[in-house]
Amino acid sequence: MTSDSQDTAPNLHFTGTTPYEDYVRASVLSNLQVPLSEDPGEMAFLVTTQVMELWFTVIVHEWETAARALREDDLPVAMAALKRSTYELMSLNASWEPLAHLTPAQFNAFRSALGDASGFQSAMHRRLEFLLGDKSAAMLVPHQGAPQIHAELEKALYAPSLYDEVLRHLARRGHEIPAAVLDRDVSERYAADPAVEAVWERIYAGDQGSPECRLGESLTEVAELVWRWRNDHLVATRRAMGAKVGTGGSPGVAWLEKRATKNVFPELWTARSRV
């Protein structure tokens, strides 16, 4: 080996674990999978589900960053967080690919290993939904046995959603958001309001380069990707199990079909028909 190649070679000698391991905790991640069946397909199901949980975590982080920035009227920081979240949502949605083509027989080969486990029990996904304004106190019930998780979800339930912060930001910029919307009980599911639709209509009919219009488009991009996530979940479930009852006693496809019809940030969609 020449002296030049020695100078450019990476450091291979460490007193403990590698700095990469210390930072990423790769050995922890790669040992979290404990298949409960003999079917080789269960490993892909476990890893894919865990990857989705990690994407939920970073997306929640981005939307909480955006909500906090909007609360401080720091639109550039909010927009940057929303933009990052769109790339992360694309990666989340791509995570369905390993599961999207399971046949009923392939899913049944390890389905019993899930027991009563079901995706609707995901605490991080629930925090994601709460940030989107889909609030429900009943969804805290499954987590009563885990005090820390329950406390985090309860805090998220009573915190303004991302869209609540958007509307409050618009109000501070002089837009006519009704007091009833601004002062609503944020622990309740957000319901569309005609006056909010009218605000978005005026924004979209005006300067296309305005901060409000750019914010609206960033939110619409997020909403579309969330819809794609829900639809991909529906299709994957329909292919794997048809209309059977879901794991954990959930309604399965019937419940997912209802979810797929709901628009996130509803007035951003209905206002388009009026511009």
Side-chain angles (χ1 to χ4, degrees):
M1 183 179 292
T2 67
S3 60
D4 285 347
S5 62
Q6 288 176 333
D7 291 341
T8 58
N11 182 17
L12 302 177
H13 303 284
F14 306 102
T15 56
T17 57
T18 65
Y20 178 85
E21 171 61 28
D22 292 340
Y23 183 68
V24 177
R25 308 289 298 279
S27 64
V28 175
L29 291 172
S30 60
N31 282 281
L32 291 175
Q33 299 77 43
V34 185
L36 299 178
S37 75
E38 297 299 320
D39 186 77
E42 188 188 354
M43 187 66 167
F45 184 87
L46 269 172
V47 171
T48 299
T49 303
Q50 290 171 348
V51 166
M52 288 178 176
E53 285 290 333
L54 291 173
W55 282 125
F56 295 157
T57 300
V58 72
I59 292 166
V60 164
H61 171 74
E62 301 289 19
W63 291 350
E64 287 180 341
T65 298
R68 185 166 55 251
L70 286 164
R71 195 155 52 245
E72 299 168 355
D73 293 323
D74 190 344
L75 193 57
V77 169
M79 294 284 284
L82 290 172
K83 187 65 174 178
R84 289 193 301 270
S85 80
T86 62
Y87 302 139
E88 293 146 7
L89 281 162
M90 290 177 195
S91 296
L92 169 65
N93 292 356
S95 300
W96 278 115
E97 194 61 26
L99 306 181
H101 309 285
L102 285 173
T103 67
Q106 289 168 338
F107 184 44
N108 286 342
F110 61 84
R111 185 183 180 186
S112 62
L114 277 67
D116 289 333
S118 178
F120 81 85
Q121 300 160 7
S122 165
M124 194 56 71
H125 186 259
R126 189 58 48 203
R127 285 178 61 182
L128 184 150
E129 292 284 359
F130 282 2
L131 275 164
L132 292 173
D134 193 359
K135 303 285 189 78
S136 171
M139 298 313 295
L140 272 63
V141 174
H143 307 282
Q144 288 177 331
Q148 182 177 344
I149 292 174
H150 187 275
E152 290 171 351
L153 280 173
E154 189 172 44
K155 180 180 178 182
L157 178 70
Y158 288 100
S161 71
L162 173 61
Y163 197 50
D164 287 322
E165 297 293 5
V166 166
L167 298 182
R168 292 175 182 186
H169 170 74
L170 291 178
R172 289 191 296 273
R173 289 183 63 88
H175 295 279
E176 298 176 2
I177 307 295
V181 172
L182 297 174
D183 300 331
R184 76 183 193 87
D185 181 354
V186 296
S187 70
E188 298 289 335
R189 181 178 287 108
Y190 180 81
D193 187 284
V196 173
E197 179 186 288
V199 168
W200 285 117
E201 178 188 350
R202 289 191 291 273
I203 288 171
Y204 272 94
D207 179 6
Q208 299 300 288
S210 71
E212 292 91 338
C213 192
R214 290 187 290 108
L215 175 60
E217 282 303 276
S218 291
L219 293 167
T220 302
E221 188 75 12
V222 165
E224 179 179 334
L225 288 165
V226 169
W227 176 83
R228 291 182 185 278
W229 153 264
R230 292 174 176 174
N231 196 62
D232 287 352
H233 189 180
L234 166 63
V235 173
T237 304
R238 184 181 282 155
R239 285 189 65 154
M241 53 178 278
K244 294 195 291 284
V245 174
T247 54
S250 68
V253 164
W255 184 76
L256 294 174
E257 284 175 337
K258 289 178 63 176
R259 302 286 299 155
T261 62
K262 294 182 178 180
N263 283 327
V264 177
F265 317 140
E267 298 95 343
L268 275 166
W269 298 98
T270 56
R272 283 165 152 73
S273 301
R274 302 171 63 87
V275 177

Short mmCIF file of all heavy atoms in Angstrom, two decimals, residues 207-254:
data_model
loop_
_atom_site.label_atom_id
_atom_site.label_comp_id
_atom_site.label_asym_id
_atom_site.label_seq_id
_atom_site.Cartn_x
_atom_site.Cartn_y
_atom_site.Cartn_z
N ASP A 207 -53.08 37.23 -5.33
CA ASP A 207 -51.68 37.10 -5.74
C ASP A 207 -51.19 35.67 -5.52
O ASP A 207 -51.14 35.18 -4.39
CB ASP A 207 -50.84 38.08 -4.91
CG ASP A 207 -49.35 38.00 -5.24
OD1 ASP A 207 -48.97 37.28 -6.18
OD2 ASP A 207 -48.57 38.68 -4.53
N GLN A 208 -50.81 35.01 -6.62
CA GLN A 208 -50.38 33.61 -6.53
C GLN A 208 -49.04 33.45 -5.83
O GLN A 208 -48.68 32.35 -5.41
CB GLN A 208 -50.31 33.00 -7.93
CG GLN A 208 -51.64 33.00 -8.66
CD GLN A 208 -52.71 32.21 -7.92
OE1 GLN A 208 -52.67 30.98 -7.89
NE2 GLN A 208 -53.68 32.90 -7.33
N GLY A 209 -48.31 34.54 -5.69
CA GLY A 209 -47.03 34.47 -5.01
C GLY A 209 -47.09 34.95 -3.58
O GLY A 209 -46.04 35.05 -2.91
N SER A 210 -48.28 35.24 -3.07
CA SER A 210 -48.41 35.75 -1.71
C SER A 210 -48.00 34.66 -0.71
O SER A 210 -48.10 33.46 -0.99
CB SER A 210 -49.85 36.18 -1.43
OG SER A 210 -50.70 35.03 -1.35
N PRO A 211 -47.54 35.07 0.48
CA PRO A 211 -47.19 34.08 1.51
C PRO A 211 -48.35 33.15 1.84
O PRO A 211 -48.15 31.94 2.04
CB PRO A 211 -46.80 34.94 2.71
CG PRO A 211 -46.38 36.24 2.13
CD PRO A 211 -47.25 36.45 0.93
N GLU A 212 -49.56 33.70 1.87
CA GLU A 212 -50.73 32.88 2.21
C GLU A 212 -51.01 31.83 1.13
O GLU A 212 -51.34 30.69 1.45
CB GLU A 212 -51.96 33.77 2.39
CG GLU A 212 -51.91 34.67 3.61
CD GLU A 212 -51.31 36.04 3.30
OE1 GLU A 212 -50.57 36.17 2.30
OE2 GLU A 212 -51.59 36.98 4.07
N CYS A 213 -50.85 32.23 -0.12
CA CYS A 213 -51.10 31.28 -1.21
C CYS A 213 -50.04 30.17 -1.21
O CYS A 213 -50.35 28.99 -1.39
CB CYS A 213 -51.11 32.01 -2.55
SG CYS A 213 -51.74 31.01 -3.92
N ARG A 214 -48.80 30.55 -0.96
CA ARG A 214 -47.73 29.55 -0.90
C ARG A 214 -47.93 28.61 0.29
O ARG A 214 -47.69 27.40 0.19
CB ARG A 214 -46.37 30.24 -0.83
CG ARG A 214 -45.97 30.93 -2.13
CD ARG A 214 -44.55 31.45 -2.10
NE ARG A 214 -44.39 32.58 -1.20
CZ ARG A 214 -43.75 32.53 -0.04
NH1 ARG A 214 -43.21 31.39 0.38
NH2 ARG A 214 -43.63 33.60 0.72
N LEU A 215 -48.41 29.15 1.41
CA LEU A 215 -48.71 28.32 2.56
C LEU A 215 -49.83 27.35 2.23
O LEU A 215 -49.77 26.15 2.56
CB LEU A 215 -49.10 29.20 3.76
CG LEU A 215 -49.55 28.47 5.03
CD1 LEU A 215 -48.47 27.54 5.56
CD2 LEU A 215 -49.97 29.48 6.10
N GLY A 216 -50.87 27.85 1.57
CA GLY A 216 -51.98 27.00 1.18
C GLY A 216 -51.54 25.85 0.29
O GLY A 216 -51.99 24.70 0.46
N GLU A 217 -50.65 26.13 -0.65
CA GLU A 217 -50.17 25.07 -1.54
C GLU A 217 -49.30 24.05 -0.81
O GLU A 217 -49.36 22.86 -1.09
CB GLU A 217 -49.41 25.67 -2.72
CG GLU A 217 -50.32 26.26 -3.78
CD GLU A 217 -51.30 25.22 -4.33
OE1 GLU A 217 -50.93 24.46 -5.24
OE2 GLU A 217 -52.45 25.14 -3.81
N SER A 218 -48.51 24.51 0.15
CA SER A 218 -47.71 23.58 0.95
C SER A 218 -48.62 22.65 1.74
O SER A 218 -48.38 21.43 1.83
CB SER A 218 -46.79 24.34 1.90
OG SER A 218 -45.78 25.01 1.18
N LEU A 219 -49.67 23.20 2.32
CA LEU A 219 -50.62 22.39 3.08
C LEU A 219 -51.39 21.43 2.17
O LEU A 219 -51.67 20.29 2.56
CB LEU A 219 -51.61 23.30 3.82
CG LEU A 219 -51.01 24.16 4.93
CD1 LEU A 219 -52.01 25.24 5.36
CD2 LEU A 219 -50.62 23.30 6.13
N THR A 220 -51.71 21.89 0.98
CA THR A 220 -52.42 21.02 0.02
C THR A 220 -51.54 19.84 -0.38
O THR A 220 -52.03 18.71 -0.52
CB THR A 220 -52.83 21.82 -1.21
OG1 THR A 220 -53.66 22.92 -0.81
CG2 THR A 220 -53.60 20.96 -2.21
N GLU A 221 -50.24 20.10 -0.55
CA GLU A 221 -49.32 19.01 -0.88
C GLU A 221 -49.29 17.98 0.25
O GLU A 221 -49.32 16.77 0.01
CB GLU A 221 -47.92 19.58 -1.10
CG GLU A 221 -46.92 18.59 -1.65
CD GLU A 221 -47.11 18.28 -3.12
OE1 GLU A 221 -47.87 19.01 -3.79
OE2 GLU A 221 -46.51 17.30 -3.59
N VAL A 222 -49.24 18.46 1.48
CA VAL A 222 -49.28 17.56 2.63
C VAL A 222 -50.59 16.76 2.63
O VAL A 222 -50.59 15.53 2.80
CB VAL A 222 -49.14 18.35 3.94
CG1 VAL A 222 -49.53 17.50 5.15
CG2 VAL A 222 -47.71 18.88 4.11
N ALA A 223 -51.70 17.46 2.44
CA ALA A 223 -53.01 16.81 2.47
C ALA A 223 -53.13 15.73 1.40
O ALA A 223 -53.68 14.65 1.65
CB ALA A 223 -54.11 17.85 2.29
N GLU A 224 -52.61 16.02 0.21
CA GLU A 224 -52.69 15.03 -0.87
C GLU A 224 -51.88 13.79 -0.53
O GLU A 224 -52.32 12.66 -0.77
CB GLU A 224 -52.17 15.64 -2.18
CG GLU A 224 -52.20 14.66 -3.34
CD GLU A 224 -51.71 15.27 -4.64
OE1 GLU A 224 -51.82 16.50 -4.80
OE2 GLU A 224 -51.23 14.50 -5.50
N LEU A 225 -50.69 13.98 0.04
CA LEU A 225 -49.85 12.84 0.38
C LEU A 225 -50.46 12.02 1.51
O LEU A 225 -50.32 10.79 1.55
CB LEU A 225 -48.45 13.32 0.73
CG LEU A 225 -47.64 13.82 -0.48
CD1 LEU A 225 -46.42 14.61 -0.03
CD2 LEU A 225 -47.22 12.65 -1.37
N VAL A 226 -51.14 12.69 2.45
CA VAL A 226 -51.84 11.96 3.51
C VAL A 226 -52.96 11.13 2.90
O VAL A 226 -53.17 9.97 3.26
CB VAL A 226 -52.39 12.93 4.57
CG1 VAL A 226 -53.35 12.21 5.53
CG2 VAL A 226 -51.26 13.58 5.35
N TRP A 227 -53.69 11.71 1.95
CA TRP A 227 -54.75 10.95 1.27
C TRP A 227 -54.16 9.74 0.56
O TRP A 227 -54.73 8.64 0.60
CB TRP A 227 -55.49 11.83 0.27
CG TRP A 227 -56.50 11.07 -0.52
CD1 TRP A 227 -57.77 10.76 -0.14
CD2 TRP A 227 -56.31 10.47 -1.81
NE1 TRP A 227 -58.39 10.01 -1.12
CE2 TRP A 227 -57.52 9.82 -2.15
CE3 TRP A 227 -55.24 10.43 -2.71
CZ2 TRP A 227 -57.67 9.13 -3.35
CZ3 TRP A 227 -55.39 9.73 -3.90
CH2 TRP A 227 -56.60 9.10 -4.22
N ARG A 228 -53.02 9.92 -0.09
CA ARG A 228 -52.38 8.79 -0.78
C ARG A 228 -51.98 7.70 0.21
O ARG A 228 -52.11 6.50 -0.07
CB ARG A 228 -51.18 9.26 -1.58
CG ARG A 228 -51.56 10.13 -2.78
CD ARG A 228 -50.34 10.54 -3.60
NE ARG A 228 -50.73 11.46 -4.66
CZ ARG A 228 -51.25 11.08 -5.83
NH1 ARG A 228 -51.41 9.80 -6.10
NH2 ARG A 228 -51.56 11.98 -6.74
N TRP A 229 -51.48 8.11 1.39
CA TRP A 229 -51.14 7.14 2.42
C TRP A 229 -52.37 6.32 2.81
O TRP A 229 -52.32 5.10 2.89
CB TRP A 229 -50.57 7.86 3.65
CG TRP A 229 -50.77 7.13 4.94
CD1 TRP A 229 -51.77 7.32 5.85
CD2 TRP A 229 -49.97 6.06 5.46
NE1 TRP A 229 -51.63 6.45 6.90
CE2 TRP A 229 -50.54 5.66 6.69
CE3 TRP A 229 -48.83 5.41 5.00
CZ2 TRP A 229 -50.01 4.64 7.46
CZ3 TRP A 229 -48.30 4.38 5.78
CH2 TRP A 229 -48.89 4.01 6.99
N ARG A 230 -53.47 7.02 3.06
CA ARG A 230 -54.69 6.32 3.47
C ARG A 230 -55.21 5.41 2.37
O ARG A 230 -55.66 4.28 2.64
CB ARG A 230 -55.77 7.34 3.84
CG ARG A 230 -55.46 8.13 5.12
CD ARG A 230 -56.48 9.23 5.35
NE ARG A 230 -56.23 9.92 6.62
CZ ARG A 230 -56.89 10.99 7.02
NH1 ARG A 230 -57.88 11.49 6.26
NH2 ARG A 230 -56.60 11.56 8.18
N ASN A 231 -55.14 5.87 1.14
CA ASN A 231 -55.63 5.06 0.02
C ASN A 231 -54.74 3.84 -0.20
O ASN A 231 -55.24 2.73 -0.45
CB ASN A 231 -55.69 5.91 -1.24
CG ASN A 231 -56.53 5.26 -2.32
OD1 ASN A 231 -57.73 5.03 -2.16
ND2 ASN A 231 -55.90 4.94 -3.45
N ASP A 232 -53.41 4.02 -0.09
CA ASP A 232 -52.51 2.88 -0.25
C ASP A 232 -52.73 1.86 0.86
O ASP A 232 -52.65 0.64 0.63
CB ASP A 232 -51.05 3.35 -0.21
CG ASP A 232 -50.65 4.08 -1.49
OD1 ASP A 232 -51.44 4.07 -2.46
OD2 ASP A 232 -49.55 4.67 -1.52
N HIS A 233 -53.01 2.34 2.08
CA HIS A 233 -53.32 1.45 3.20
C HIS A 233 -54.58 0.64 2.88
O HIS A 233 -54.63 -0.58 3.09
CB HIS A 233 -53.52 2.28 4.47
CG HIS A 233 -53.63 1.48 5.71
ND1 HIS A 233 -53.81 2.06 6.96
CD2 HIS A 233 -53.61 0.13 5.95
CE1 HIS A 233 -53.86 1.12 7.88
NE2 HIS A 233 -53.76 -0.06 7.29
N LEU A 234 -55.59 1.33 2.37
CA LEU A 234 -56.84 0.67 2.01
C LEU A 234 -56.62 -0.42 0.96
O LEU A 234 -57.08 -1.55 1.11
CB LEU A 234 -57.83 1.71 1.48
CG LEU A 234 -59.08 1.20 0.75
CD1 LEU A 234 -59.94 0.36 1.69
CD2 LEU A 234 -59.87 2.37 0.18
N VAL A 235 -55.89 -0.08 -0.10
CA VAL A 235 -55.69 -1.03 -1.20
C VAL A 235 -54.88 -2.23 -0.73
O VAL A 235 -55.21 -3.38 -1.05
CB VAL A 235 -55.02 -0.33 -2.39
CG1 VAL A 235 -54.65 -1.34 -3.48
CG2 VAL A 235 -55.93 0.74 -2.98
N ALA A 236 -53.82 -1.98 0.05
CA ALA A 236 -53.00 -3.09 0.53
C ALA A 236 -53.82 -4.02 1.42
O ALA A 236 -53.69 -5.25 1.34
CB ALA A 236 -51.79 -2.55 1.29
N THR A 237 -54.66 -3.44 2.27
CA THR A 237 -55.49 -4.25 3.17
C THR A 237 -56.54 -5.02 2.39
O THR A 237 -56.80 -6.21 2.66
CB THR A 237 -56.17 -3.36 4.22
OG1 THR A 237 -55.16 -2.62 4.92
CG2 THR A 237 -56.98 -4.18 5.20
N ARG A 238 -57.13 -4.37 1.41
CA ARG A 238 -58.15 -5.04 0.59
C ARG A 238 -57.54 -6.23 -0.14
O ARG A 238 -58.16 -7.29 -0.25
CB ARG A 238 -58.74 -4.03 -0.39
CG ARG A 238 -59.88 -4.58 -1.23
CD ARG A 238 -60.38 -3.52 -2.18
NE ARG A 238 -61.24 -2.55 -1.51
CZ ARG A 238 -61.43 -1.29 -1.95
NH1 ARG A 238 -60.78 -0.86 -3.00
NH2 ARG A 238 -62.25 -0.50 -1.30
N ARG A 239 -56.31 -6.07 -0.65
CA ARG A 239 -55.67 -7.18 -1.37
C ARG A 239 -55.32 -8.32 -0.43
O ARG A 239 -55.41 -9.50 -0.79
CB ARG A 239 -54.39 -6.68 -2.06
CG ARG A 239 -54.65 -5.85 -3.30
CD ARG A 239 -53.38 -5.57 -4.07
NE ARG A 239 -52.79 -6.79 -4.61
CZ ARG A 239 -52.01 -6.82 -5.69
NH1 ARG A 239 -51.74 -5.70 -6.34
NH2 ARG A 239 -51.49 -7.94 -6.12
N ALA A 240 -54.89 -7.99 0.80
CA ALA A 240 -54.40 -9.02 1.71
C ALA A 240 -55.51 -9.75 2.43
O ALA A 240 -55.33 -10.93 2.80
CB ALA A 240 -53.44 -8.39 2.72
N MET A 241 -56.64 -9.08 2.70
CA MET A 241 -57.66 -9.73 3.53
C MET A 241 -59.09 -9.48 3.09
O MET A 241 -60.03 -9.93 3.76
CB MET A 241 -57.49 -9.31 4.98
CG MET A 241 -57.45 -7.83 5.23
SD MET A 241 -57.31 -7.42 6.98
CE MET A 241 -59.01 -7.55 7.48
N GLY A 242 -59.30 -8.77 2.00
CA GLY A 242 -60.65 -8.54 1.54
C GLY A 242 -61.46 -7.77 2.57
O GLY A 242 -60.96 -6.84 3.19
N ALA A 243 -62.70 -8.18 2.78
CA ALA A 243 -63.60 -7.46 3.68
C ALA A 243 -63.69 -8.11 5.06
O ALA A 243 -64.60 -7.80 5.83
CB ALA A 243 -64.99 -7.37 3.06
N LYS A 244 -62.74 -9.00 5.39
CA LYS A 244 -62.78 -9.65 6.70
C LYS A 244 -62.55 -8.63 7.81
O LYS A 244 -61.99 -7.56 7.59
CB LYS A 244 -61.71 -10.74 6.78
CG LYS A 244 -61.93 -11.91 5.84
CD LYS A 244 -61.06 -13.09 6.22
CE LYS A 244 -59.59 -12.85 5.98
NZ LYS A 244 -59.21 -12.91 4.58
N VAL A 245 -62.97 -8.98 9.04
CA VAL A 245 -62.72 -8.14 10.21
C VAL A 245 -61.22 -7.99 10.39
O VAL A 245 -60.45 -8.94 10.23
CB VAL A 245 -63.35 -8.76 11.47
CG1 VAL A 245 -62.95 -7.96 12.71
CG2 VAL A 245 -64.86 -8.81 11.33
N GLY A 246 -60.77 -6.75 10.71
CA GLY A 246 -59.35 -6.49 10.86
C GLY A 246 -58.79 -7.03 12.16
O GLY A 246 -59.53 -7.49 13.04
N THR A 247 -57.46 -6.98 12.30
CA THR A 247 -56.83 -7.41 13.54
C THR A 247 -57.26 -6.49 14.68
O THR A 247 -57.56 -5.32 14.47
CB THR A 247 -55.30 -7.40 13.41
OG1 THR A 247 -54.88 -6.10 12.97
CG2 THR A 247 -54.82 -8.44 12.43
N GLY A 248 -57.31 -7.05 15.88
CA GLY A 248 -57.73 -6.26 17.03
C GLY A 248 -59.21 -5.95 17.03
O GLY A 248 -59.67 -5.09 17.78
N GLY A 249 -59.98 -6.64 16.16
CA GLY A 249 -61.42 -6.41 16.10
C GLY A 249 -61.81 -5.16 15.34
O GLY A 249 -62.98 -4.75 15.38
N SER A 250 -60.85 -4.52 14.64
CA SER A 250 -61.18 -3.32 13.88
C SER A 250 -62.05 -3.69 12.67
O SER A 250 -62.03 -4.84 12.22
CB SER A 250 -59.90 -2.63 13.40
OG SER A 250 -59.25 -3.42 12.42
N PRO A 251 -62.81 -2.72 12.13
CA PRO A 251 -63.66 -3.02 10.98
C PRO A 251 -62.89 -3.31 9.69
O PRO A 251 -63.50 -3.65 8.69
CB PRO A 251 -64.50 -1.74 10.83
CG PRO A 251 -64.40 -1.05 12.14
CD PRO A 251 -63.06 -1.39 12.67
N GLY A 252 -61.57 -3.14 9.72
CA GLY A 252 -60.77 -3.45 8.54
C GLY A 252 -61.04 -2.51 7.39
O GLY A 252 -61.00 -1.28 7.52
N VAL A 253 -61.33 -3.10 6.21
CA VAL A 253 -61.50 -2.33 4.99
C VAL A 253 -62.61 -1.29 5.11
O VAL A 253 -62.47 -0.16 4.63
CB VAL A 253 -61.76 -3.28 3.80
CG1 VAL A 253 -62.32 -2.51 2.60
CG2 VAL A 253 -60.46 -3.97 3.39
N ALA A 254 -63.71 -1.63 5.78
CA ALA A 254 -64.83 -0.69 5.89
C ALA A 254 -64.39 0.60 6.59
O ALA A 254 -64.77 1.70 6.19
CB ALA A 254 -65.98 -1.34 6.66
#
